[in-house]
PDB file of all heavy atoms in Angstrom:
ATOM      1  N   VAL A1020      49.022 -45.894  38.013  1.00 98.00           N
ATOM      2  CA  VAL A1020      50.294 -45.519  38.643  1.00 98.00           C
ATOM      3  C   VAL A1020      51.160 -46.757  38.857  1.00 98.00           C
ATOM      4  O   VAL A1020      52.382 -46.726  38.626  1.00 98.00           O
ATOM      5  CB  VAL A1020      50.044 -44.789  39.976  1.00 98.00           C
ATOM      6  CG1 VAL A1020      51.357 -44.489  40.678  1.00 98.00           C
ATOM      7  CG2 VAL A1020      49.262 -43.500  39.734  1.00 98.00           C
ATOM      8  N   ALA A1021      50.554 -47.860  39.276  1.00 98.00           N
ATOM      9  CA  ALA A1021      51.310 -49.095  39.472  1.00 98.00           C
ATOM     10  C   ALA A1021      51.935 -49.570  38.170  1.00 98.00           C
ATOM     11  O   ALA A1021      53.083 -50.057  38.159  1.00 98.00           O
ATOM     12  CB  ALA A1021      50.396 -50.178  40.052  1.00 98.00           C
ATOM     13  N   SER A1022      51.213 -49.427  37.068  1.00 98.00           N
ATOM     14  CA  SER A1022      51.748 -49.829  35.775  1.00 98.00           C
ATOM     15  C   SER A1022      52.968 -48.995  35.401  1.00 98.00           C
ATOM     16  O   SER A1022      53.979 -49.513  34.894  1.00 98.00           O
ATOM     17  CB  SER A1022      50.665 -49.696  34.700  1.00 98.00           C
ATOM     18  OG  SER A1022      51.138 -50.107  33.439  1.00 98.00           O
ATOM     19  N   GLN A1023      52.901 -47.683  35.675  1.00 98.00           N
ATOM     20  CA  GLN A1023      54.048 -46.811  35.404  1.00 98.00           C
ATOM     21  C   GLN A1023      55.244 -47.189  36.281  1.00 98.00           C
ATOM     22  O   GLN A1023      56.379 -47.282  35.792  1.00 98.00           O
ATOM     23  CB  GLN A1023      53.663 -45.352  35.655  1.00 98.00           C
ATOM     24  CG  GLN A1023      54.814 -44.357  35.561  1.00 98.00           C
ATOM     25  CD  GLN A1023      55.299 -44.106  34.139  1.00 98.00           C
ATOM     26  OE1 GLN A1023      54.658 -44.495  33.175  1.00 98.00           O
ATOM     27  NE2 GLN A1023      56.446 -43.450  34.017  1.00 98.00           N
ATOM     28  N   LEU A1024      55.015 -47.420  37.568  1.00 98.00           N
ATOM     29  CA  LEU A1024      56.112 -47.765  38.470  1.00 98.00           C
ATOM     30  C   LEU A1024      56.731 -49.106  38.100  1.00 98.00           C
ATOM     31  O   LEU A1024      57.960 -49.270  38.168  1.00 98.00           O
ATOM     32  CB  LEU A1024      55.618 -47.792  39.917  1.00 98.00           C
ATOM     33  CG  LEU A1024      55.176 -46.453  40.515  1.00 98.00           C
ATOM     34  CD1 LEU A1024      54.701 -46.645  41.950  1.00 98.00           C
ATOM     35  CD2 LEU A1024      56.297 -45.425  40.461  1.00 98.00           C
ATOM     36  N   THR A1025      55.905 -50.067  37.745  1.00 98.00           N
ATOM     37  CA  THR A1025      56.430 -51.379  37.346  1.00 98.00           C
ATOM     38  C   THR A1025      57.292 -51.253  36.100  1.00 98.00           C
ATOM     39  O   THR A1025      58.376 -51.850  35.997  1.00 98.00           O
ATOM     40  CB  THR A1025      55.265 -52.357  37.098  1.00 98.00           C
ATOM     41  OG1 THR A1025      54.511 -52.501  38.302  1.00 98.00           O
ATOM     42  CG2 THR A1025      55.776 -53.714  36.647  1.00 98.00           C
ATOM     43  N   TRP A1026      56.825 -50.464  35.137  1.00 98.00           N
ATOM     44  CA  TRP A1026      57.612 -50.216  33.926  1.00 98.00           C
ATOM     45  C   TRP A1026      58.932 -49.521  34.267  1.00 98.00           C
ATOM     46  O   TRP A1026      59.990 -49.872  33.719  1.00 98.00           O
ATOM     47  CB  TRP A1026      56.790 -49.365  32.971  1.00 98.00           C
ATOM     48  CG  TRP A1026      57.532 -48.921  31.748  1.00 98.00           C
ATOM     49  CD1 TRP A1026      57.732 -49.612  30.590  1.00 98.00           C
ATOM     50  CD2 TRP A1026      58.197 -47.660  31.576  1.00 98.00           C
ATOM     51  NE1 TRP A1026      58.464 -48.871  29.712  1.00 98.00           N
ATOM     52  CE2 TRP A1026      58.764 -47.674  30.283  1.00 98.00           C
ATOM     53  CE3 TRP A1026      58.347 -46.535  32.379  1.00 98.00           C
ATOM     54  CZ2 TRP A1026      59.474 -46.585  29.788  1.00 98.00           C
ATOM     55  CZ3 TRP A1026      59.067 -45.454  31.889  1.00 98.00           C
ATOM     56  CH2 TRP A1026      59.621 -45.484  30.606  1.00 98.00           C
ATOM     57  N   MET A1027      58.892 -48.554  35.176  1.00 98.00           N
ATOM     58  CA  MET A1027      60.124 -47.857  35.565  1.00 98.00           C
ATOM     59  C   MET A1027      61.106 -48.812  36.218  1.00 98.00           C
ATOM     60  O   MET A1027      62.313 -48.743  35.984  1.00 98.00           O
ATOM     61  CB  MET A1027      59.778 -46.690  36.506  1.00 98.00           C
ATOM     62  CG  MET A1027      59.051 -45.542  35.823  1.00 98.00           C
ATOM     63  SD  MET A1027      58.468 -44.256  36.969  1.00 98.00           S
ATOM     64  CE  MET A1027      60.029 -43.569  37.529  1.00 98.00           C
ATOM     65  N   ARG A1028      60.607 -49.719  37.044  1.00 98.00           N
ATOM     66  CA  ARG A1028      61.501 -50.701  37.668  1.00 98.00           C
ATOM     67  C   ARG A1028      62.096 -51.628  36.616  1.00 98.00           C
ATOM     68  O   ARG A1028      63.303 -51.909  36.641  1.00 98.00           O
ATOM     69  CB  ARG A1028      60.751 -51.519  38.715  1.00 98.00           C
ATOM     70  CG  ARG A1028      61.650 -52.522  39.434  1.00 98.00           C
ATOM     71  CD  ARG A1028      60.915 -53.347  40.453  1.00 98.00           C
ATOM     72  NE  ARG A1028      59.915 -54.206  39.833  1.00 98.00           N
ATOM     73  CZ  ARG A1028      59.275 -55.180  40.474  1.00 98.00           C
ATOM     74  NH1 ARG A1028      59.534 -55.401  41.759  1.00 98.00           N
ATOM     75  NH2 ARG A1028      58.385 -55.916  39.853  1.00 98.00           N
ATOM     76  N   GLU A1029      61.295 -52.092  35.676  1.00 98.00           N
ATOM     77  CA  GLU A1029      61.783 -53.002  34.637  1.00 98.00           C
ATOM     78  C   GLU A1029      62.850 -52.354  33.769  1.00 98.00           C
ATOM     79  O   GLU A1029      63.713 -53.050  33.214  1.00 98.00           O
ATOM     80  CB  GLU A1029      60.607 -53.452  33.765  1.00 98.00           C
ATOM     81  CG  GLU A1029      59.622 -54.367  34.490  1.00 98.00           C
ATOM     82  CD  GLU A1029      58.353 -54.601  33.693  1.00 98.00           C
ATOM     83  OE1 GLU A1029      58.135 -53.881  32.680  1.00 98.00           O
ATOM     84  OE2 GLU A1029      57.565 -55.485  34.083  1.00 98.00           O
ATOM     85  N   ASN A1030      62.820 -51.024  33.675  1.00 98.00           N
ATOM     86  CA  ASN A1030      63.783 -50.306  32.851  1.00 98.00           C
ATOM     87  C   ASN A1030      64.896 -49.651  33.666  1.00 98.00           C
ATOM     88  O   ASN A1030      65.656 -48.827  33.134  1.00 98.00           O
ATOM     89  CB  ASN A1030      63.061 -49.261  31.999  1.00 98.00           C
ATOM     90  CG  ASN A1030      62.298 -49.873  30.844  1.00 98.00           C
ATOM     91  OD1 ASN A1030      62.855 -50.121  29.783  1.00 98.00           O
ATOM     92  ND2 ASN A1030      61.017 -50.149  31.062  1.00 98.00           N
ATOM     93  N   GLY A1031      64.996 -50.002  34.933  1.00 98.00           N
ATOM     94  CA  GLY A1031      66.103 -49.545  35.762  1.00 98.00           C
ATOM     95  C   GLY A1031      65.996 -48.132  36.280  1.00 98.00           C
ATOM     96  O   GLY A1031      66.999 -47.545  36.722  1.00 98.00           O
ATOM     97  N   PHE A1032      64.781 -47.561  36.287  1.00 98.00           N
ATOM     98  CA  PHE A1032      64.616 -46.190  36.757  1.00 98.00           C
ATOM     99  C   PHE A1032      64.222 -46.094  38.224  1.00 98.00           C
ATOM    100  O   PHE A1032      64.266 -45.006  38.805  1.00 98.00           O
ATOM    101  CB  PHE A1032      63.557 -45.470  35.911  1.00 98.00           C
ATOM    102  CG  PHE A1032      64.001 -45.191  34.510  1.00 98.00           C
ATOM    103  CD1 PHE A1032      63.493 -45.944  33.458  1.00 98.00           C
ATOM    104  CD2 PHE A1032      64.925 -44.203  34.229  1.00 98.00           C
ATOM    105  CE1 PHE A1032      63.894 -45.703  32.162  1.00 98.00           C
ATOM    106  CE2 PHE A1032      65.337 -43.953  32.934  1.00 98.00           C
ATOM    107  CZ  PHE A1032      64.822 -44.708  31.886  1.00 98.00           C
ATOM    108  N   VAL A1033      63.802 -47.181  38.831  1.00 98.00           N
ATOM    109  CA  VAL A1033      63.367 -47.114  40.213  1.00 98.00           C
ATOM    110  C   VAL A1033      63.582 -48.442  40.908  1.00 98.00           C
ATOM    111  O   VAL A1033      63.522 -49.515  40.282  1.00 98.00           O
ATOM    112  CB  VAL A1033      61.871 -46.706  40.296  1.00 98.00           C
ATOM    113  CG1 VAL A1033      60.946 -47.845  39.883  1.00 98.00           C
ATOM    114  CG2 VAL A1033      61.508 -46.223  41.678  1.00 98.00           C
ATOM    115  N   ASN A1034      63.879 -48.355  42.194  1.00 98.00           N
ATOM    116  CA  ASN A1034      63.979 -49.518  43.069  1.00 98.00           C
ATOM    117  C   ASN A1034      62.821 -49.426  44.047  1.00 98.00           C
ATOM    118  O   ASN A1034      62.687 -48.432  44.766  1.00 98.00           O
ATOM    119  CB  ASN A1034      65.327 -49.481  43.809  1.00 98.00           C
ATOM    120  CG  ASN A1034      65.529 -50.657  44.737  1.00 98.00           C
ATOM    121  OD1 ASN A1034      64.579 -51.328  45.138  1.00 98.00           O
ATOM    122  ND2 ASN A1034      66.776 -50.912  45.107  1.00 98.00           N
ATOM    123  N   PHE A1035      61.957 -50.428  44.089  1.00 98.00           N
ATOM    124  CA  PHE A1035      60.786 -50.367  44.957  1.00 98.00           C
ATOM    125  C   PHE A1035      61.163 -50.196  46.428  1.00 98.00           C
ATOM    126  O   PHE A1035      60.340 -49.737  47.223  1.00 98.00           O
ATOM    127  CB  PHE A1035      59.938 -51.625  44.787  1.00 98.00           C
ATOM    128  CG  PHE A1035      59.036 -51.603  43.575  1.00 98.00           C
ATOM    129  CD1 PHE A1035      59.047 -50.537  42.690  1.00 98.00           C
ATOM    130  CD2 PHE A1035      58.178 -52.655  43.320  1.00 98.00           C
ATOM    131  CE1 PHE A1035      58.220 -50.511  41.576  1.00 98.00           C
ATOM    132  CE2 PHE A1035      57.343 -52.652  42.213  1.00 98.00           C
ATOM    133  CZ  PHE A1035      57.365 -51.573  41.344  1.00 98.00           C
ATOM    134  N   ASP A1036      62.387 -50.537  46.789  1.00 97.00           N
ATOM    135  CA  ASP A1036      62.836 -50.346  48.169  1.00 97.00           C
ATOM    136  C   ASP A1036      62.997 -48.873  48.522  1.00 97.00           C
ATOM    137  O   ASP A1036      63.207 -48.538  49.700  1.00 97.00           O
ATOM    138  CB  ASP A1036      64.175 -51.050  48.402  1.00 97.00           C
ATOM    139  CG  ASP A1036      64.054 -52.558  48.370  1.00 97.00           C
ATOM    140  OD1 ASP A1036      62.922 -53.067  48.498  1.00 97.00           O
ATOM    141  OD2 ASP A1036      65.084 -53.238  48.213  1.00 97.00           O
ATOM    142  N   ARG A1037      62.915 -47.992  47.534  1.00 97.00           N
ATOM    143  CA  ARG A1037      63.121 -46.560  47.766  1.00 97.00           C
ATOM    144  C   ARG A1037      61.898 -45.740  47.340  1.00 97.00           C
ATOM    145  O   ARG A1037      62.012 -44.563  47.023  1.00 97.00           O
ATOM    146  CB  ARG A1037      64.369 -46.085  47.020  1.00 97.00           C
ATOM    147  CG  ARG A1037      65.612 -46.911  47.328  1.00 97.00           C
ATOM    148  CD  ARG A1037      66.826 -46.345  46.646  1.00 97.00           C
ATOM    149  NE  ARG A1037      67.335 -45.179  47.330  1.00 97.00           N
ATOM    150  CZ  ARG A1037      68.242 -44.349  46.820  1.00 97.00           C
ATOM    151  NH1 ARG A1037      68.714 -44.530  45.598  1.00 97.00           N
ATOM    152  NH2 ARG A1037      68.671 -43.313  47.517  1.00 97.00           N
ATOM    153  N   VAL A1038      60.736 -46.389  47.346  1.00 98.00           N
ATOM    154  CA  VAL A1038      59.513 -45.716  46.916  1.00 98.00           C
ATOM    155  C   VAL A1038      58.557 -45.554  48.085  1.00 98.00           C
ATOM    156  O   VAL A1038      58.219 -46.521  48.777  1.00 98.00           O
ATOM    157  CB  VAL A1038      58.812 -46.506  45.785  1.00 98.00           C
ATOM    158  CG1 VAL A1038      57.477 -45.828  45.419  1.00 98.00           C
ATOM    159  CG2 VAL A1038      59.703 -46.608  44.562  1.00 98.00           C
ATOM    160  N   PHE A1039      58.116 -44.315  48.324  1.00 98.00           N
ATOM    161  CA  PHE A1039      57.035 -44.002  49.250  1.00 98.00           C
ATOM    162  C   PHE A1039      55.873 -43.462  48.417  1.00 98.00           C
ATOM    163  O   PHE A1039      56.077 -42.604  47.560  1.00 98.00           O
ATOM    164  CB  PHE A1039      57.438 -42.915  50.245  1.00 98.00           C
ATOM    165  CG  PHE A1039      58.296 -43.373  51.381  1.00 98.00           C
ATOM    166  CD1 PHE A1039      59.615 -43.751  51.175  1.00 98.00           C
ATOM    167  CD2 PHE A1039      57.796 -43.398  52.675  1.00 98.00           C
ATOM    168  CE1 PHE A1039      60.410 -44.148  52.232  1.00 98.00           C
ATOM    169  CE2 PHE A1039      58.586 -43.792  53.741  1.00 98.00           C
ATOM    170  CZ  PHE A1039      59.892 -44.173  53.525  1.00 98.00           C
ATOM    171  N   VAL A1040      54.658 -43.915  48.692  1.00 98.00           N
ATOM    172  CA  VAL A1040      53.462 -43.353  48.070  1.00 98.00           C
ATOM    173  C   VAL A1040      52.620 -42.736  49.176  1.00 98.00           C
ATOM    174  O   VAL A1040      52.302 -43.405  50.170  1.00 98.00           O
ATOM    175  CB  VAL A1040      52.652 -44.420  47.314  1.00 98.00           C
ATOM    176  CG1 VAL A1040      51.432 -43.780  46.651  1.00 98.00           C
ATOM    177  CG2 VAL A1040      53.516 -45.117  46.266  1.00 98.00           C
ATOM    178  N   ILE A1041      52.286 -41.469  49.026  1.00 98.00           N
ATOM    179  CA  ILE A1041      51.532 -40.728  50.043  1.00 98.00           C
ATOM    180  C   ILE A1041      50.249 -40.218  49.407  1.00 98.00           C
ATOM    181  O   ILE A1041      50.284 -39.505  48.397  1.00 98.00           O
ATOM    182  CB  ILE A1041      52.347 -39.541  50.595  1.00 98.00           C
ATOM    183  CG1 ILE A1041      53.676 -40.025  51.199  1.00 98.00           C
ATOM    184  CG2 ILE A1041      51.539 -38.779  51.643  1.00 98.00           C
ATOM    185  CD1 ILE A1041      54.886 -39.726  50.351  1.00 98.00           C
ATOM    186  N   GLY A1042      49.101 -40.582  49.989  1.00 98.00           N
ATOM    187  CA  GLY A1042      47.830 -40.144  49.440  1.00 98.00           C
ATOM    188  C   GLY A1042      46.926 -39.559  50.502  1.00 98.00           C
ATOM    189  O   GLY A1042      46.940 -39.996  51.654  1.00 98.00           O
ATOM    190  N   PHE A1043      46.131 -38.569  50.112  1.00 98.00           N
ATOM    191  CA  PHE A1043      45.197 -37.914  51.022  1.00 98.00           C
ATOM    192  C   PHE A1043      43.768 -38.249  50.641  1.00 98.00           C
ATOM    193  O   PHE A1043      43.385 -38.178  49.467  1.00 98.00           O
ATOM    194  CB  PHE A1043      45.395 -36.392  50.980  1.00 98.00           C
ATOM    195  CG  PHE A1043      44.280 -35.606  51.619  1.00 98.00           C
ATOM    196  CD1 PHE A1043      44.004 -35.755  52.970  1.00 98.00           C
ATOM    197  CD2 PHE A1043      43.501 -34.735  50.877  1.00 98.00           C
ATOM    198  CE1 PHE A1043      42.958 -35.046  53.569  1.00 98.00           C
ATOM    199  CE2 PHE A1043      42.475 -34.017  51.449  1.00 98.00           C
ATOM    200  CZ  PHE A1043      42.200 -34.176  52.814  1.00 98.00           C
ATOM    201  N   SER A1044      42.936 -38.620  51.631  1.00 98.00           N
ATOM    202  CA  SER A1044      41.513 -38.844  51.461  1.00 98.00           C
ATOM    203  C   SER A1044      41.261 -39.940  50.427  1.00 98.00           C
ATOM    204  O   SER A1044      41.711 -41.069  50.606  1.00 98.00           O
ATOM    205  CB  SER A1044      40.823 -37.519  51.099  1.00 98.00           C
ATOM    206  OG  SER A1044      39.430 -37.640  51.166  1.00 98.00           O
ATOM    207  N   LEU A1045      40.560 -39.652  49.327  1.00 98.00           N
ATOM    208  CA  LEU A1045      40.424 -40.657  48.281  1.00 98.00           C
ATOM    209  C   LEU A1045      41.786 -41.069  47.733  1.00 98.00           C
ATOM    210  O   LEU A1045      41.988 -42.216  47.318  1.00 98.00           O
ATOM    211  CB  LEU A1045      39.555 -40.125  47.133  1.00 98.00           C
ATOM    212  CG  LEU A1045      38.046 -40.042  47.368  1.00 98.00           C
ATOM    213  CD1 LEU A1045      37.348 -39.566  46.096  1.00 98.00           C
ATOM    214  CD2 LEU A1045      37.468 -41.376  47.814  1.00 98.00           C
ATOM    215  N   GLY A1046      42.723 -40.135  47.744  1.00 98.00           N
ATOM    216  CA  GLY A1046      44.071 -40.446  47.273  1.00 98.00           C
ATOM    217  C   GLY A1046      44.770 -41.489  48.115  1.00 98.00           C
ATOM    218  O   GLY A1046      45.649 -42.211  47.630  1.00 98.00           O
ATOM    219  N   ALA A1047      44.394 -41.590  49.406  1.00 98.00           N
ATOM    220  CA  ALA A1047      44.968 -42.638  50.252  1.00 98.00           C
ATOM    221  C   ALA A1047      44.543 -44.012  49.757  1.00 98.00           C
ATOM    222  O   ALA A1047      45.335 -44.961  49.741  1.00 98.00           O
ATOM    223  CB  ALA A1047      44.547 -42.434  51.703  1.00 98.00           C
TER     224      ALA A1047
END
């Protein structure tokens, strides 16, 4: 997931200042 988000930031699709990641149990 981090690799996808980093790629999205490098290509102008996301600003890390506007990203929340929410995980439950093992997902946390």
